[in-house]
Amino acid sequence: CLDRNPAALGYAQQAAAATGLPPDRLQVVAGSAEALPLGDGSVDVVIAVHVLCCVGSPDRAVAEVRRVLRPGGRYLFIEHVAAQPGTRLASVQGWVAPVVRLVADGCNIDRDSLQTIRAAGFSAVQVRTARTCACLSPLTLHSIG
C-alpha cells in the first residue's frame, strides 16, 4: 500500500486489520505514484483511489502503472473527473476547485483524469460514473484490462 501522505498510512493498516488481514500480509509505505517502488511487470493488479486528482504529474503516474503491470494485468481505480465543459457543474467546479485543493490535500476535482488514462494506451477502458455532491465532481469507477 502506497500513500503520498505519511499521516494516512495508519488508516490503511487499521482498515486492513479490521478485515482480518494479518499484519505481515500488508506493507504500507509513503511514496509517490510518479515513482512506484516496484519492478517492471511485477504486479497483477494496481488499485488506486483518488490518485490522479492529487498527484503533480498524472501522465507520469499512469505511465508508472503501465510499467509495473504485468502483461494482461488490471488497473482498477476511483477518480474525481472534470465535468463536461460548458455545463453548470463545470462552472461550479471551476469556482470551488481552488478551495477544494486547499482543504482536500491538493485534490483537483476539475482534472480530466479519464482523458489521461485513455491517452496512456490501455487496451480497454470500462467506465461507470456516479455523482458526488460533496466534491461537486463526477466520480468515475474505472476498470482497465
Side-chain angles (χ1 to χ4, degrees):
C1 176
L2 178 112
D3 199 299
R4 70 187 186 108
N5 181 350
L9 300 180
Y11 294 114
Q13 292 167 323
Q14 290 171 0
T19 69
L21 184 69
D24 64 333
R25 300 285 298 153
L26 178 69
Q27 180 181 4
V28 182
V29 297
S32 167
E34 293 105 322
L36 295 173
L38 300 166
D40 296 358
S42 63
V43 298
D44 296 322
V45 178
V46 171
I47 301 171
V49 178
H50 299 150
V51 173
L52 298 180
C53 58
C54 293
V55 296
S57 176
D59 293 328
R60 181 70 192 135
V62 173
E64 278 292 277
V65 168
R66 286 201 52 147
R67 181 186 67 77
V68 302
L69 278 174
R70 69 163 174 75
R74 294 183 57 90
Y75 178 25
L76 308 171
F77 58 93
I78 298 172
E79 282 294 337
H80 294 122
V81 295
Q84 291 290 341
T87 63
R88 177 182 286 166
L89 182 56
S91 295
V92 172
Q93 280 183 335
W95 300 328
V96 301
V99 175
V100 172
R101 275 191 287 281
L102 286 173
V103 300
D105 202 22
C107 178
N108 293 277
I109 63 170
D110 56 351
R111 192 174 269 176
D112 195 350
S113 299
L114 184 55
Q115 177 55 35
T116 300
I117 292 157
R118 285 188 168 135
F122 285 97
S123 62
V125 179
Q126 299 172 344
V127 178
R128 293 187 196 127
T129 303
R131 294 288 167 131
T132 60
C133 294
C135 292
L136 301 170
S137 177
L139 183 65
T140 303
L141 313 176
H142 304 272
S143 173
I144 297 175

